[in-house]
PDB file of all heavy atoms in Angstrom:
ATOM      1  N   GLY A   7       2.694  11.008  -2.470  1.00  0.00           N
ATOM      2  CA  GLY A   7       1.415  10.334  -1.911  1.00  0.00           C
ATOM      3  C   GLY A   7       1.456  10.119  -0.493  1.00  0.00           C
ATOM      4  O   GLY A   7       0.758   9.204   0.040  1.00  0.00           O
ATOM      5  N   ALA A   9      -0.115  11.697   1.851  1.00  0.00           N
ATOM      6  CA  ALA A   9      -1.376  11.903   2.512  1.00  0.00           C
ATOM      7  C   ALA A   9      -2.260  10.653   2.389  1.00  0.00           C
ATOM      8  O   ALA A   9      -3.348  10.592   3.069  1.00  0.00           O
ATOM      9  CB  ALA A   9      -2.063  13.108   1.956  1.00  0.00           C
ATOM     10  N   GLY A  10      -1.883   9.688   1.592  1.00  0.00           N
ATOM     11  CA  GLY A  10      -2.743   8.575   1.269  1.00  0.00           C
ATOM     12  C   GLY A  10      -2.682   7.557   2.436  1.00  0.00           C
ATOM     13  O   GLY A  10      -2.009   7.770   3.500  1.00  0.00           O
ATOM     14  N   TYR A  11      -3.421   6.480   2.220  1.00  0.00           N
ATOM     15  CA  TYR A  11      -3.557   5.440   3.319  1.00  0.00           C
ATOM     16  C   TYR A  11      -2.261   4.932   3.811  1.00  0.00           C
ATOM     17  O   TYR A  11      -1.844   5.131   4.974  1.00  0.00           O
ATOM     18  CB  TYR A  11      -4.408   4.312   2.786  1.00  0.00           C
ATOM     19  CG  TYR A  11      -4.588   3.194   3.738  1.00  0.00           C
ATOM     20  CD1 TYR A  11      -4.851   3.294   5.076  1.00  0.00           C
ATOM     21  CD2 TYR A  11      -4.371   1.811   3.188  1.00  0.00           C
ATOM     22  CE1 TYR A  11      -4.848   2.129   5.919  1.00  0.00           C
ATOM     23  CE2 TYR A  11      -4.645   0.678   4.049  1.00  0.00           C
ATOM     24  CZ  TYR A  11      -4.789   0.842   5.374  1.00  0.00           C
ATOM     25  OH  TYR A  11      -4.910  -0.172   6.182  1.00  0.00           O
ATOM     26  N   ILE A  12      -1.413   4.334   2.951  1.00  0.00           N
ATOM     27  CA  ILE A  12      -0.190   3.808   3.395  1.00  0.00           C
ATOM     28  C   ILE A  12       0.823   4.924   3.667  1.00  0.00           C
ATOM     29  O   ILE A  12       1.557   4.912   4.740  1.00  0.00           O
ATOM     30  CB  ILE A  12       0.407   2.800   2.254  1.00  0.00           C
ATOM     31  CG1 ILE A  12      -0.639   1.667   2.112  1.00  0.00           C
ATOM     32  CG2 ILE A  12       1.677   2.257   2.705  1.00  0.00           C
ATOM     33  CD1 ILE A  12      -0.356   0.679   0.958  1.00  0.00           C
ATOM     34  N   ASP A  31       1.760  15.664  -2.673  1.00  0.00           N
ATOM     35  CA  ASP A  31       0.453  15.016  -2.847  1.00  0.00           C
ATOM     36  C   ASP A  31      -0.517  15.963  -3.556  1.00  0.00           C
ATOM     37  O   ASP A  31      -0.563  17.128  -3.248  1.00  0.00           O
ATOM     38  CB  ASP A  31      -0.101  14.487  -1.512  1.00  0.00           C
ATOM     39  CG  ASP A  31      -1.090  13.340  -1.682  1.00  0.00           C
ATOM     40  OD1 ASP A  31      -2.052  13.439  -2.432  1.00  0.00           O
ATOM     41  OD2 ASP A  31      -0.835  12.280  -1.145  1.00  0.00           O
ATOM     42  N   ASN A  32      -1.264  15.458  -4.538  1.00  0.00           N
ATOM     43  CA  ASN A  32      -2.225  16.324  -5.144  1.00  0.00           C
ATOM     44  C   ASN A  32      -3.695  16.052  -4.494  1.00  0.00           C
ATOM     45  O   ASN A  32      -4.669  16.595  -5.050  1.00  0.00           O
ATOM     46  CB  ASN A  32      -2.344  16.181  -6.575  1.00  0.00           C
ATOM     47  CG  ASN A  32      -2.712  14.767  -7.061  1.00  0.00           C
ATOM     48  OD1 ASN A  32      -3.051  13.894  -6.151  1.00  0.00           O
ATOM     49  ND2 ASN A  32      -2.663  14.489  -8.355  1.00  0.00           N
ATOM     50  N   PHE A  33      -3.819  15.250  -3.436  1.00  0.00           N
ATOM     51  CA  PHE A  33      -5.127  14.943  -2.783  1.00  0.00           C
ATOM     52  C   PHE A  33      -6.167  14.356  -3.726  1.00  0.00           C
ATOM     53  O   PHE A  33      -7.311  14.505  -3.490  1.00  0.00           O
ATOM     54  CB  PHE A  33      -5.601  16.132  -2.000  1.00  0.00           C
ATOM     55  CG  PHE A  33      -4.604  16.703  -0.967  1.00  0.00           C
ATOM     56  CD1 PHE A  33      -4.205  18.022  -1.018  1.00  0.00           C
ATOM     57  CD2 PHE A  33      -4.023  15.896   0.022  1.00  0.00           C
ATOM     58  CE1 PHE A  33      -3.275  18.507  -0.130  1.00  0.00           C
ATOM     59  CE2 PHE A  33      -3.208  16.400   0.876  1.00  0.00           C
ATOM     60  CZ  PHE A  33      -2.792  17.748   0.788  1.00  0.00           C
ATOM     61  N   SER A  34      -5.641  13.735  -4.872  1.00  0.00           N
ATOM     62  CA  SER A  34      -6.686  13.216  -5.690  1.00  0.00           C
ATOM     63  C   SER A  34      -7.405  11.979  -5.123  1.00  0.00           C
ATOM     64  O   SER A  34      -8.503  11.609  -5.436  1.00  0.00           O
ATOM     65  CB  SER A  34      -5.993  12.648  -7.019  1.00  0.00           C
ATOM     66  OG  SER A  34      -4.921  11.770  -6.765  1.00  0.00           O
ATOM     67  N   ASN A  35      -6.828  11.324  -4.063  1.00  0.00           N
ATOM     68  CA  ASN A  35      -7.411  10.244  -3.377  1.00  0.00           C
ATOM     69  C   ASN A  35      -7.252  10.417  -1.859  1.00  0.00           C
ATOM     70  O   ASN A  35      -7.122   9.316  -1.137  1.00  0.00           O
ATOM     71  CB  ASN A  35      -6.960   8.881  -3.868  1.00  0.00           C
ATOM     72  CG  ASN A  35      -7.922   7.756  -3.513  1.00  0.00           C
ATOM     73  OD1 ASN A  35      -9.081   7.984  -3.486  1.00  0.00           O
ATOM     74  ND2 ASN A  35      -7.340   6.613  -3.135  1.00  0.00           N
ATOM     75  N   SER A  36      -7.118  11.574  -1.400  1.00  0.00           N
ATOM     76  CA  SER A  36      -6.750  11.782   0.043  1.00  0.00           C
ATOM     77  C   SER A  36      -7.174  13.183   0.541  1.00  0.00           C
ATOM     78  O   SER A  36      -7.778  13.911  -0.315  1.00  0.00           O
ATOM     79  CB  SER A  36      -5.296  11.588   0.322  1.00  0.00           C
ATOM     80  OG  SER A  36      -4.521  12.373  -0.537  1.00  0.00           O
ATOM     81  N   GLY A  57       0.640  19.236  -4.990  1.00  0.00           N
ATOM     82  CA  GLY A  57       0.937  19.169  -6.483  1.00  0.00           C
ATOM     83  C   GLY A  57       1.109  17.790  -7.067  1.00  0.00           C
ATOM     84  O   GLY A  57       0.930  16.821  -6.323  1.00  0.00           O
ATOM     85  N   ASP A  58       1.398  17.782  -8.350  1.00  0.00           N
ATOM     86  CA  ASP A  58       1.498  16.563  -9.060  1.00  0.00           C
ATOM     87  C   ASP A  58       2.967  15.991  -9.029  1.00  0.00           C
ATOM     88  O   ASP A  58       3.900  16.692  -9.392  1.00  0.00           O
ATOM     89  CB  ASP A  58       0.968  16.686 -10.515  1.00  0.00           C
ATOM     90  CG  ASP A  58       0.803  15.470 -11.283  1.00  0.00           C
ATOM     91  OD1 ASP A  58       1.684  14.558 -11.139  1.00  0.00           O
ATOM     92  OD2 ASP A  58      -0.203  15.349 -11.867  1.00  0.00           O
ATOM     93  N   TYR A  59       3.093  14.758  -8.628  1.00  0.00           N
ATOM     94  CA  TYR A  59       4.498  14.243  -8.537  1.00  0.00           C
ATOM     95  C   TYR A  59       5.153  14.163  -9.932  1.00  0.00           C
ATOM     96  O   TYR A  59       6.361  13.974  -9.992  1.00  0.00           O
ATOM     97  CB  TYR A  59       4.680  13.048  -7.725  1.00  0.00           C
ATOM     98  CG  TYR A  59       4.399  11.724  -8.454  1.00  0.00           C
ATOM     99  CD1 TYR A  59       5.334  11.020  -9.148  1.00  0.00           C
ATOM    100  CD2 TYR A  59       3.108  11.183  -8.659  1.00  0.00           C
ATOM    101  CE1 TYR A  59       5.124   9.827  -9.834  1.00  0.00           C
ATOM    102  CE2 TYR A  59       2.830  10.039  -9.339  1.00  0.00           C
ATOM    103  CZ  TYR A  59       3.900   9.386  -9.977  1.00  0.00           C
ATOM    104  OH  TYR A  59       3.583   8.263 -10.661  1.00  0.00           O
ATOM    105  N   PHE A  80       4.808   6.461  -3.104  1.00  0.00           N
ATOM    106  CA  PHE A  80       3.447   5.881  -2.929  1.00  0.00           C
ATOM    107  C   PHE A  80       2.457   6.325  -3.951  1.00  0.00           C
ATOM    108  O   PHE A  80       1.317   5.722  -4.122  1.00  0.00           O
ATOM    109  CB  PHE A  80       2.948   6.229  -1.483  1.00  0.00           C
ATOM    110  CG  PHE A  80       3.729   5.685  -0.355  1.00  0.00           C
ATOM    111  CD1 PHE A  80       4.735   6.461   0.171  1.00  0.00           C
ATOM    112  CD2 PHE A  80       3.619   4.391   0.039  1.00  0.00           C
ATOM    113  CE1 PHE A  80       5.569   6.033   1.149  1.00  0.00           C
ATOM    114  CE2 PHE A  80       4.452   3.863   1.047  1.00  0.00           C
ATOM    115  CZ  PHE A  80       5.360   4.711   1.549  1.00  0.00           C
ATOM    116  N   ALA A  81       2.665   7.601  -4.540  1.00  0.00           N
ATOM    117  CA  ALA A  81       1.616   8.215  -5.314  1.00  0.00           C
ATOM    118  C   ALA A  81       1.310   7.297  -6.512  1.00  0.00           C
ATOM    119  O   ALA A  81       2.093   6.675  -7.109  1.00  0.00           O
ATOM    120  CB  ALA A  81       2.111   9.579  -5.762  1.00  0.00           C
ATOM    121  N   GLY A  82       0.057   7.343  -6.970  1.00  0.00           N
ATOM    122  CA  GLY A  82      -0.451   6.601  -8.156  1.00  0.00           C
ATOM    123  C   GLY A  82      -1.871   6.256  -7.921  1.00  0.00           C
ATOM    124  O   GLY A  82      -2.465   6.441  -6.815  1.00  0.00           O
ATOM    125  N   LYS A  84      -4.839   3.226  -7.748  1.00  0.00           N
ATOM    126  CA  LYS A  84      -4.611   1.879  -7.270  1.00  0.00           C
ATOM    127  C   LYS A  84      -5.941   0.942  -7.432  1.00  0.00           C
ATOM    128  O   LYS A  84      -5.904  -0.168  -6.879  1.00  0.00           O
ATOM    129  CB  LYS A  84      -4.294   1.871  -5.802  1.00  0.00           C
ATOM    130  CG  LYS A  84      -5.424   2.494  -4.947  1.00  0.00           C
ATOM    131  CD  LYS A  84      -5.130   2.230  -3.384  1.00  0.00           C
ATOM    132  CE  LYS A  84      -6.155   2.831  -2.609  1.00  0.00           C
ATOM    133  NZ  LYS A  84      -6.052   2.565  -1.131  1.00  0.00           N
ATOM    134  N   ASN A  99      -0.368   8.207 -15.036  1.00  0.00           N
ATOM    135  CA  ASN A  99      -0.133   8.584 -13.560  1.00  0.00           C
ATOM    136  C   ASN A  99       0.781   7.607 -12.930  1.00  0.00           C
ATOM    137  O   ASN A  99       1.529   8.011 -11.970  1.00  0.00           O
ATOM    138  CB  ASN A  99      -1.442   8.719 -12.824  1.00  0.00           C
ATOM    139  CG  ASN A  99      -1.340   9.479 -11.583  1.00  0.00           C
ATOM    140  OD1 ASN A  99      -0.595  10.551 -11.516  1.00  0.00           O
ATOM    141  ND2 ASN A  99      -1.988   9.076 -10.515  1.00  0.00           N
ATOM    142  N   SER A 122       6.443   1.300  -3.905  1.00  0.00           N
ATOM    143  CA  SER A 122       5.234   0.547  -3.446  1.00  0.00           C
ATOM    144  C   SER A 122       4.825  -0.317  -4.565  1.00  0.00           C
ATOM    145  O   SER A 122       4.058   0.063  -5.547  1.00  0.00           O
ATOM    146  CB  SER A 122       4.066   1.529  -3.243  1.00  0.00           C
ATOM    147  OG  SER A 122       4.319   2.329  -2.282  1.00  0.00           O
ATOM    148  N   SER A 123       5.187  -1.608  -4.554  1.00  0.00           N
ATOM    149  CA  SER A 123       4.699  -2.557  -5.575  1.00  0.00           C
ATOM    150  C   SER A 123       3.572  -3.387  -4.931  1.00  0.00           C
ATOM    151  O   SER A 123       3.138  -2.972  -3.813  1.00  0.00           O
ATOM    152  CB  SER A 123       5.754  -3.372  -6.201  1.00  0.00           C
ATOM    153  OG  SER A 123       5.278  -4.059  -7.260  1.00  0.00           O
ATOM    154  N   SER A 124       3.178  -4.456  -5.518  1.00  0.00           N
ATOM    155  CA  SER A 124       1.992  -5.262  -5.034  1.00  0.00           C
ATOM    156  C   SER A 124       2.264  -6.747  -5.355  1.00  0.00           C
ATOM    157  O   SER A 124       2.882  -7.043  -6.437  1.00  0.00           O
ATOM    158  CB  SER A 124       0.833  -4.677  -5.819  1.00  0.00           C
ATOM    159  OG  SER A 124      -0.266  -5.547  -5.644  1.00  0.00           O
ATOM    160  N   TYR A 149      -3.663  -1.939 -13.890  1.00  0.00           N
ATOM    161  CA  TYR A 149      -2.976  -1.461 -12.688  1.00  0.00           C
ATOM    162  C   TYR A 149      -1.826  -2.380 -12.389  1.00  0.00           C
ATOM    163  O   TYR A 149      -0.750  -1.984 -12.079  1.00  0.00           O
ATOM    164  CB  TYR A 149      -4.077  -1.544 -11.491  1.00  0.00           C
ATOM    165  CG  TYR A 149      -3.408  -1.469 -10.139  1.00  0.00           C
ATOM    166  CD1 TYR A 149      -2.782  -0.255  -9.755  1.00  0.00           C
ATOM    167  CD2 TYR A 149      -3.352  -2.558  -9.359  1.00  0.00           C
ATOM    168  CE1 TYR A 149      -2.117  -0.215  -8.483  1.00  0.00           C
ATOM    169  CE2 TYR A 149      -2.718  -2.610  -8.102  1.00  0.00           C
ATOM    170  CZ  TYR A 149      -2.060  -1.333  -7.687  1.00  0.00           C
ATOM    171  OH  TYR A 149      -1.406  -1.303  -6.461  1.00  0.00           O
ATOM    172  N   LYS A 153       2.469  -1.694 -12.310  1.00  0.00           N
ATOM    173  CA  LYS A 153       3.399  -2.106 -11.313  1.00  0.00           C
ATOM    174  C   LYS A 153       4.530  -2.934 -11.821  1.00  0.00           C
ATOM    175  O   LYS A 153       5.796  -2.770 -11.520  1.00  0.00           O
ATOM    176  CB  LYS A 153       2.752  -2.854 -10.115  1.00  0.00           C
ATOM    177  CG  LYS A 153       1.724  -2.006  -9.364  1.00  0.00           C
ATOM    178  CD  LYS A 153       2.439  -0.891  -8.566  1.00  0.00           C
ATOM    179  CE  LYS A 153       1.502  -0.030  -7.768  1.00  0.00           C
ATOM    180  NZ  LYS A 153       2.093   1.203  -7.199  1.00  0.00           N
ATOM    181  N   TYR A 176       3.476  -5.394  -1.578  1.00  0.00           N
ATOM    182  CA  TYR A 176       2.541  -5.556  -0.406  1.00  0.00           C
ATOM    183  C   TYR A 176       1.488  -6.556  -0.777  1.00  0.00           C
ATOM    184  O   TYR A 176       0.995  -6.783  -1.852  1.00  0.00           O
ATOM    185  CB  TYR A 176       1.766  -4.219  -0.271  1.00  0.00           C
ATOM    186  CG  TYR A 176       2.503  -2.913  -0.203  1.00  0.00           C
ATOM    187  CD1 TYR A 176       1.738  -1.706  -0.675  1.00  0.00           C
ATOM    188  CD2 TYR A 176       3.734  -2.863   0.309  1.00  0.00           C
ATOM    189  CE1 TYR A 176       2.446  -0.501  -0.532  1.00  0.00           C
ATOM    190  CE2 TYR A 176       4.477  -1.607   0.428  1.00  0.00           C
ATOM    191  CZ  TYR A 176       3.785  -0.455  -0.046  1.00  0.00           C
ATOM    192  OH  TYR A 176       4.425   0.770  -0.062  1.00  0.00           O
ATOM    193  N   PRO A 179      -2.878  -4.872   2.806  1.00  0.00           N
ATOM    194  CA  PRO A 179      -2.732  -3.875   3.934  1.00  0.00           C
ATOM    195  C   PRO A 179      -4.142  -3.561   4.469  1.00  0.00           C
ATOM    196  O   PRO A 179      -5.029  -3.198   3.726  1.00  0.00           O
ATOM    197  CB  PRO A 179      -2.019  -2.662   3.435  1.00  0.00           C
ATOM    198  CG  PRO A 179      -1.626  -3.023   2.043  1.00  0.00           C
ATOM    199  CD  PRO A 179      -2.451  -4.214   1.539  1.00  0.00           C
TER     200      PRO A 179
HETATM  201  P1  NAD B 401      -3.893   5.949  -1.717  1.00  0.00           P
HETATM  202  O1  NAD B 401      -4.788   6.287  -2.936  1.00  0.00           O
HETATM  203  O2  NAD B 401      -4.557   6.053  -0.397  1.00  0.00           O
HETATM  204  O3  NAD B 401      -2.636   6.966  -1.661  1.00  0.00           O
HETATM  205  C1  NAD B 401      -2.023   7.371  -2.891  1.00  0.00           C
HETATM  206  C2  NAD B 401      -1.750   8.918  -2.660  1.00  0.00           C
HETATM  207  O4  NAD B 401      -1.170   9.358  -3.868  1.00  0.00           O
HETATM  208  C3  NAD B 401      -3.034   9.664  -2.362  1.00  0.00           C
HETATM  209  O5  NAD B 401      -2.824  10.608  -1.322  1.00  0.00           O
HETATM  210  C4  NAD B 401      -3.206  10.471  -3.705  1.00  0.00           C
HETATM  211  O6  NAD B 401      -3.878  11.685  -3.569  1.00  0.00           O
HETATM  212  C5  NAD B 401      -1.765  10.655  -4.262  1.00  0.00           C
HETATM  213  N1  NAD B 401      -1.615  10.799  -5.627  1.00  0.00           N
HETATM  214  C6  NAD B 401      -2.176   9.998  -6.697  1.00  0.00           C
HETATM  215  N2  NAD B 401      -1.618  10.518  -7.842  1.00  0.00           N
HETATM  216  C7  NAD B 401      -0.863  11.577  -7.569  1.00  0.00           C
HETATM  217  C8  NAD B 401      -0.064  12.485  -8.405  1.00  0.00           C
HETATM  218  N3  NAD B 401      -0.033  12.403  -9.661  1.00  0.00           N
HETATM  219  N4  NAD B 401       0.580  13.456  -7.745  1.00  0.00           N
HETATM  220  C9  NAD B 401       0.681  13.539  -6.324  1.00  0.00           C
HETATM  221  N5  NAD B 401      -0.116  12.660  -5.552  1.00  0.00           N
HETATM  222  C10 NAD B 401      -0.782  11.767  -6.115  1.00  0.00           C
HETATM  223  O7  NAD B 401      -3.255   4.563  -1.966  1.00  0.00           O
HETATM  224  P2  NAD B 401      -2.464   3.628  -0.877  1.00  0.00           P
HETATM  225  O8  NAD B 401      -3.405   2.527  -0.504  1.00  0.00           O
HETATM  226  O9  NAD B 401      -1.941   4.476   0.153  1.00  0.00           O
HETATM  227  O10 NAD B 401      -1.354   3.043  -1.801  1.00  0.00           O
HETATM  228  C11 NAD B 401      -0.135   3.604  -1.893  1.00  0.00           C
HETATM  229  C12 NAD B 401       0.704   2.869  -2.953  1.00  0.00           C
HETATM  230  O11 NAD B 401       0.791   1.505  -2.562  1.00  0.00           O
HETATM  231  C13 NAD B 401       0.098   2.937  -4.323  1.00  0.00           C
HETATM  232  O12 NAD B 401       1.062   3.055  -5.237  1.00  0.00           O
HETATM  233  C14 NAD B 401      -0.584   1.614  -4.422  1.00  0.00           C
HETATM  234  O13 NAD B 401      -0.715   1.225  -5.811  1.00  0.00           O
HETATM  235  C15 NAD B 401       0.328   0.665  -3.703  1.00  0.00           C
HETATM  236  N6  NAD B 401      -0.384  -0.451  -3.164  1.00  0.00           N
HETATM  237  C16 NAD B 401      -1.465  -0.413  -2.334  1.00  0.00           C
HETATM  238  C17 NAD B 401      -2.105  -1.450  -1.917  1.00  0.00           C
HETATM  239  C18 NAD B 401      -3.424  -1.382  -1.027  1.00  0.00           C
HETATM  240  O14 NAD B 401      -4.019  -2.372  -0.802  1.00  0.00           O
HETATM  241  N7  NAD B 401      -3.624  -0.145  -0.496  1.00  0.00           N
HETATM  242  C19 NAD B 401      -1.666  -2.775  -2.263  1.00  0.00           C
HETATM  243  C20 NAD B 401      -0.510  -2.941  -3.041  1.00  0.00           C
HETATM  244  C21 NAD B 401       0.156  -1.737  -3.456  1.00  0.00           C
END
Side-chain angles (χ1 to χ4, degrees):
Y11 173 44
I12 299 171
D31 204 302
N32 63 3
F33 303 124
S34 55
N35 196 37
S36 57
D58 191 313
Y59 85 91
F80 299 96
K84 64 165 180 178
N99 199 38
S122 298
S123 190
S124 164
Y149 166 70
K153 293 291 179 193
Y176 309 153

